[in-house]
Amino acid sequence: MQAEAIAKLQSEISGSDNPAVQAIGQFLLQHLEQNPEDASSILKTDKTIIKSLEAMRKVAEKKKVGNMAVLSDSEGFAIVLNYFKNEEPAATDPKKQKNQTAEASAKKDTAKQDTAKQTEPVKEDTTESEEVDFDFDALLE
């Protein structure tokens, strides 16, 4: 079983030029050497390295600040292992999914309103600032 899992990973690695697939694939190969009992998780037909990247992206999305998120190596690899070892949640009824999305949006809106109430308005600085005359055209010459 371990040999089959290694072959599956090597096939995915060689079939992709994505550096993330290469890095995660190498990590999983090393993990299998040390944990051969995890081969059955790797062999699941619906689990791929590319899909593990999507799982990682979803977690990073929750941690992002502004337009950026950072995961440490250990966090990223833990997400990948969790993806392979755990079953994905079953697909839900589209109506239920729509209601859950609406509820989540409502909670976010309420949280934003609460945060807005807590922040004090910004007071303008009434001190005079010294104007600096700067010749931008001189920089271009």
Side-chain angles (χ1 to χ4, degrees):
M1 188 182 296
Q2 184 180 9
E4 293 168 354
I6 290 171
K8 177 185 177 190
L9 290 173
Q10 288 175 334
S11 172
E12 286 185 68
I13 293 168
S14 65
S16 177
D17 57 354
N18 182 333
V21 170
Q22 304 293 317
I24 292 171
Q26 291 304 319
F27 163 77
L28 289 171
L29 288 171
Q30 290 174 357
H31 178 80
L32 271 179
E33 285 178 20
Q34 298 170 358
N35 304 282
E37 67 277 6
D38 288 344
S40 61
S41 298
I42 302 293
L43 284 172
K44 293 177 184 173
T45 57
D46 61 328
K47 304 286 183 169
T48 65
I49 297 172
I50 287 287
K51 289 180 183 177
S52 74
L53 288 173
E54 180 62 21
M56 198 183 306
R57 186 196 62 77
K58 287 178 183 178
V59 172
E61 192 65 34
K62 294 175 188 174
K63 292 181 69 169
K64 79 177 183 177
V65 175
N67 225 8
M68 186 177 5
V70 177
L71 296 174
S72 68
D73 289 352
S74 60
E75 288 174 309
F77 292 138
I79 293 164
V80 168
L81 288 175
N82 188 47
Y83 162 79
F84 277 99
K85 289 182 179 183
N86 293 328
E87 294 297 320
E88 294 295 314
T92 59
D93 182 343
K95 289 181 184 177
K96 286 183 183 178
Q97 193 172 17
K98 199 176 217 181
N99 288 340
Q100 289 171 347
T101 304
E103 289 172 9
S105 294
K107 285 180 183 178
K108 281 185 183 178
D109 290 342
T110 303
K112 284 181 184 177
Q113 289 172 356
D114 290 345
T115 303
K117 288 177 187 176
Q118 292 173 358
T119 58
E120 295 181 23
V122 177
K123 295 179 182 176
E124 290 186 30
D125 185 12
T126 56
T127 60
E128 292 183 31
S129 60
E130 187 178 315
E131 285 190 34
V132 177
D133 188 24
F134 194 80
D135 187 7
F136 286 102
D137 292 330
L139 292 173
L140 299 174
E141 295 176 355

